């Protein structure tokens, strides 16, 4: 039996103390599109997402809601599971850091690091606010003018010390630099790679990895006064979900190391520095790639609950439909850069690309076929050079798009597909099949066939981006559902196949008043 190549992709795990918005859907969507693409391209895929549920903020939030912390987590983790469903993410697993499998794996990793001499006890000190139950960085602290230091929340802070375990991150500076030098594509985009390099070159300090001031966390093995502090707990999800510490687990064997951790740029350091150092220290393989994308902003400002400009995915799906939302998020912003969302750019983009270029082309073509070709796939006769040019451009799509997807250049992948749709629009206008109907019906049939073939290939390659709309388009082209994988690119439409009556795939969207 031939074994299929495998591919493991992960999203960050989301903090449960936030209400999910469209920014949270963004990393998941990027992963989902690549996961669907790889599946259609014959890979054995594993797509992991989940929720990050420990820490003081969660403990405090649960107390404020007057519910037990675990019950609170169940409730809010569900918001992210609902988001994944609403966005039609095809994740193979959803890990929660409060699950038994994660506790076991985390504690096992801690023990391995400890036995390797990578953990020691010391004390952690910092500016602490009793009312916020949180530490603040020195640059966040200011004077209140009355001799006290205050946090950005306005609450008083005091310099305190507590015992803490530390990970010997400082040991790993040179091994990390060697690793980056040998793997220049490890951190992407390139600007992020340089950022990481500069950070590590400037020197690494040991990392505080436990706390005694709260208890909602994974207990440190053999020291119940301490719970693990965020990053050891959170990052480890990528391997505990595969069965770690059982490295003989079939999932671990097949899928570790991850092919790519997709993250937002604000958590780059943790993934590109701390995580590889922990894995090296535990003698585990390192992920192949960390891709840091930019942040989505609304009308030029960061989306946040306090500014009141948060948009939820569910809201957008209701307004414009899921496929249009998925298309817009992947097309509008060059992946890796920050992007700003505004209603105006969104409606313009969707109407021009989807309703006009693609939807209209499909509807126009299939309506003529329905009326004048007996609602069957038309039979082409001799192909002219113009026909050949368009068909060649469509046939080149898989190779072009595959390369762009491997580079996670989603916006370029989509623009290269849409360029073929524009070409097909120019072609139909130049060939004018509605005129040929009277002058040369045979030529009309050929032209319509050429456009339908082009549409078939466009729809196949766009499936990962717009799964439902492209399924409808392929249905209308009478492409059997078992012939929609990328190996099927080479199987042209069967002439004479009966076609269902056409209906618009992308209605024109009217922006709100
Ligand atoms: N729990 C940590 C991650 C641990 S991973 C081992 C965390 N969670 S988070 O919920 O605050 O953010 C998770 C991710 O959501 C970010 O990395 C980013 O990918 C995504 N985004 C949250 N807001 C976003 C935008 N406004 N725009 C784009 N992505 C955003 O950090």
């Amino acid at each position: 039996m031939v074994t299929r190549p495998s591919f493991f992709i992960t999203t960050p795990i989301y903090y449960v103390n936030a209400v999910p918005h469209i920014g949270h859907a963004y990393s998941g969507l990027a992963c989902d599109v690549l996961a669907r693409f790889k599946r259609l391209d014959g890979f054995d895929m594993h797509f992991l997402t989940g929720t990050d549920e420990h820490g003081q903020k969660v403990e405090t939030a649960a107390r404020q809601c007057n519910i037990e912390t675990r019950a609170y987590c169940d409730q809010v983790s569900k918001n992210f599971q609902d988001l994944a469903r609403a966005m039609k993410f095809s994740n193979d697993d959803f890990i929660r850091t409060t699950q038994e499998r994660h506790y076991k794996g985390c504690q096992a990793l801690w023990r391995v690091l400890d036995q390797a001499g990578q953990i020691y006890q010391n004390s952690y000190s910092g500016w602490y606010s009793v009312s916020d139950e949180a530490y603040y960085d020195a640059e966040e602290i200011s004077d209140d003018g009355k001799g006290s230091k205050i946090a950005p929340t306005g609450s008083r802070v005091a310099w305190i010390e507590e015992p803490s375990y530390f990970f010997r991150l400082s040991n790993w500076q040179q091994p990390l630099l060697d690793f980056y030098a040998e793997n220049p594509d490890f951190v992407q985009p390139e600007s992020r790679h340089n950022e990481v390099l500069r950070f590590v070159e400037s020197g690494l300090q040991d990392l505080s990895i436990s706390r005694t001031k709260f208890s909602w966390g994974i207990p440190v093995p053999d020291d119940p006064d301490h719970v693990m502090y965020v990053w050891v707990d959170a990052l480890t999800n990528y391997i505990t979900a595969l069965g770690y510490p059982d490295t003989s687990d079939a999932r671990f064997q097949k899928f570790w190391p991850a092919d790519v951790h997709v993250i937002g740029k604000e958590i780059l350091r943790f993934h590109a520095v701390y995580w590889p150092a922990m894995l090296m220290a535990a003698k585990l393989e390192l992920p192949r790639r960390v891709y840091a994308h930019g942040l989505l902003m609304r009308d030029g400002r960061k989306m946040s609950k306090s500014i009141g400009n948060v948009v939820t995915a569910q809201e957008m799906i209701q307004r414009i439909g899921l496929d249009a939302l998925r298309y817009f998020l992947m097309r509008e912003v060059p992946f890796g850069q920050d992007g700003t969302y505004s209603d105006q750019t969104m409606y313009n983009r969707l109407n021009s690309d989807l309703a006009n270029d693609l939807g209209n082309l499909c509807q126009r073509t299939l309506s003529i076929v329905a009326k004048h070709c007996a609602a069957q796939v038309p039979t082409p006769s001799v192909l002219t050079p113009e026909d050949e040019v368009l068909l060649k451009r469509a046939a080149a799509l898989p190779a072009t798009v595959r390369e762009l997807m491997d580079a996670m250049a989603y916006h370029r992948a989509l623009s290269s597909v849409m360029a073929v749709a524009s070409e097909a629009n120019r072609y139909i206008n130049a060939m004018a099949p509605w005129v040929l109907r009277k002058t040369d019906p045979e030529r009309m049939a050929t032209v319509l066939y050429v456009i339908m073939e082009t549409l078939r290939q466009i729809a196949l390659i766009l499936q990962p981006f717009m799964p439902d709309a492209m399924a409808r388009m392929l249905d209308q082209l009478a492409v059997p559902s078992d012939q929609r994988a990328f190996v099927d690119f080479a199987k042209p439409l069967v002439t004479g196949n009966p076609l269902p009556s056409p209906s618009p795939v992308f209605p024109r969207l009217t922006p709100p008043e």
Side-chain angles (χ1 to χ4, degrees):
M1 209 178 81
V2 189
T3 46
R4 291 185 297 155
S6 65
F7 199 91
F8 179 33
I9 194 167
T10 66
T11 73
I13 49 173
Y14 301 93
Y15 286 134
V16 286
N17 56 338
V19 176
H21 57 67
I22 208 160
H24 295 112
Y26 190 60
S27 347
L29 176 59
C31 289
D32 184 59
V33 171
L34 193 56
R36 286 175 183 269
F37 192 91
K38 291 280 174 193
R39 271 190 215 103
L40 287 167
D41 215 12
F43 283 74
D44 192 351
M45 261 310 301
H46 198 66
F47 166 18
L48 174 70
T49 187
T51 40
D52 191 351
E53 305 185 14
H54 289 129
Q56 192 153 18
K57 285 192 182 144
V58 176
E59 199 174 72
T60 312
R63 203 176 310 135
Q64 279 163 359
C65 300
N66 217 356
I67 51 176
E68 201 245 325
T69 320
R70 187 165 292 275
Y72 173 83
C73 286
D74 289 346
Q75 249 176 45
V76 278
S77 170
K78 196 173 164 294
N79 293 337
F80 286 91
Q81 295 167 43
D82 290 345
L83 172 71
R85 249 193 307 273
M87 292 294 296
K88 296 222 168 136
F89 291 162
S90 58
N91 53 299
D92 299 283
D93 195 358
F94 190 101
I95 188 157
R96 300 181 52 191
T97 53
T98 47
Q99 286 167 337
E100 176 66 27
R101 58 173 173 164
H102 184 67
Y103 268 65
K104 261 182 33 201
C106 260
Q107 291 188 325
L109 182 72
W110 183 287
R111 285 207 162 91
V112 169
L113 294 175
D114 193 21
Q115 276 154 17
Q118 300 294 325
I119 292 179
Y120 63 95
Q121 199 180 17
N122 202 329
S123 63
Y124 179 81
S125 49
W127 293 103
Y128 186 77
S129 149
V130 178
S131 58
D132 297 349
E133 299 182 48
Y135 280 99
Y136 290 95
D137 290 337
E139 43 293 4
E140 294 176 287
I141 299 306
S142 54
D143 281 314
D144 70 351
K146 297 175 213 148
S148 295
K149 302 277 189 197
I150 51 164
T153 53
S155 60
R156 277 199 191 170
V157 292
W159 184 260
I160 64 151
E161 248 185 56
E162 64 171 311
S164 168
Y165 286 97
F166 283 78
F167 169 61
R168 293 189 192 278
L169 182 64
S170 58
N171 278 355
W172 298 95
Q173 179 180 14
Q174 198 50 49
L176 282 169
L177 291 173
D178 295 344
F179 176 76
Y180 304 141
E182 281 157 30
N183 301 277
D185 295 331
F186 175 62
V187 178
Q188 288 181 347
E190 204 184 334
S191 57
R192 302 284 165 221
H193 172 87
N194 300 333
E195 190 183 307
V196 168
L197 216 60
R198 278 194 302 274
F199 172 72
V200 177
E201 278 166 354
S202 73
L204 295 176
Q205 292 185 356
D206 291 348
L207 201 64
S208 162
I209 52 170
S210 77
R211 287 287 180 272
T212 52
K213 286 220 164 290
F214 59 91
S215 60
W216 185 242
I218 301 178
V220 166
D222 311 320
D223 192 344
D225 289 346
H226 289 251
V227 292
M228 294 183 200
Y229 184 57
V230 286
W231 291 99
V232 187
D233 172 351
L235 291 160
T236 312
N237 90 87
Y238 300 130
I239 53 175
T240 56
L242 297 179
Y244 183 85
D246 181 5
T247 51
S248 66
D249 185 300
R251 284 164 306 168
F252 193 90
Q253 288 279 319
K254 197 187 295 170
F255 295 117
W256 191 255
D259 290 277
V260 57
H261 290 317
V262 175
I263 55 164
K265 66 176 186 186
E266 80 284 14
I267 53 175
L268 178 61
R269 192 175 292 178
F270 306 103
H271 284 80
V273 182
Y274 303 172
W275 180 225
M278 278 158 54
L279 289 166
M280 282 183 186
K283 297 198 166 46
L284 291 168
E285 277 187 271
L286 271 52
R288 297 206 167 93
R289 192 155 52 133
V290 172
Y291 195 106
H293 63 69
L295 295 184
L296 281 187
M297 303 192 281
R298 186 168 181 197
D299 300 322
R301 295 204 295 176
K302 187 176 183 248
M303 254 186 246
S304 96
K305 226 168 44 179
S306 52
I307 299 179
N309 63 349
V310 170
V311 201
T312 68
Q314 284 89 339
E315 223 173 289
M316 297 292 288
I317 294 169
Q318 271 213 320
R319 271 170 58 190
I320 59 170
L322 175 62
D323 288 298
L325 174 63
R326 291 174 58 114
Y327 178 83
F328 174 71
L329 290 177
M330 294 285 93
R331 175 66 189 90
E332 190 66 18
V333 183
F335 201 62
Q337 295 177 22
D338 287 343
T340 187
Y341 149 86
S342 79
D343 268 0
Q344 196 184 349
T345 51
M346 184 177 75
Y347 283 95
N348 288 347
R349 164 71 71 188
L350 293 175
N351 281 332
S352 114
D353 288 11
L354 298 184
N356 294 353
D357 279 0
L358 189 54
N360 208 14
L361 174 67
C362 185
Q363 182 63 13
R364 260 162 115 189
T365 309
L366 292 179
S367 305
I368 311 177
V369 174
K371 265 200 221 132
H372 305 294
C373 304
Q376 290 175 356
V377 176
T379 308
S381 53
V382 190
L383 296 181
T384 66
E386 290 97 325
D387 305 344
E388 305 266 18
V389 167
L390 182 58
L391 288 173
K392 257 208 198 108
R393 284 207 61 182
L397 278 177
T400 314
V401 174
R402 187 177 288 123
E403 200 181 312
L404 292 168
M405 293 298 283
D406 280 333
M408 303 190 85
Y410 300 97
H411 58 294
R412 289 181 56 206
L414 285 173
S415 71
S416 70
V417 180
M418 295 314 290
V420 178
S422 301
E423 191 62 41
N425 273 302
R426 277 192 289 277
Y427 170 90
I428 195 173
N429 289 335
M431 297 300 144
W434 44 89
V435 176
L436 293 172
R437 180 167 71 82
K438 291 180 200 132
T439 56
D440 189 349
E442 209 171 275
R443 177 67 194 143
M444 174 194 72
T446 308
V447 166
L448 293 171
Y449 180 86
V450 168
I451 301 170
M452 285 176 68
E453 245 311 282
T454 306
L455 284 170
R456 180 185 70 90
Q457 308 215 30
I458 290 176
L460 282 181
I461 203 98
L462 288 182
Q463 288 176 99
F465 293 90
M466 299 184 282
D468 292 344
M470 292 307 103
R472 285 201 300 277
M473 195 178 270
L474 291 165
D475 287 346
Q476 298 202 25
L477 294 165
V479 176
S481 53
D482 61 354
Q483 288 177 25
R484 296 180 183 183
F486 293 163
V487 288
D488 300 313
F489 267 107
K491 287 188 199 138
L493 290 169
V494 179
T495 60
N497 248 9
L499 296 164
S501 53
S503 68
V505 176
F506 296 109
R508 247 195 114 67
L509 298 166
T510 324
E513 290 291 306

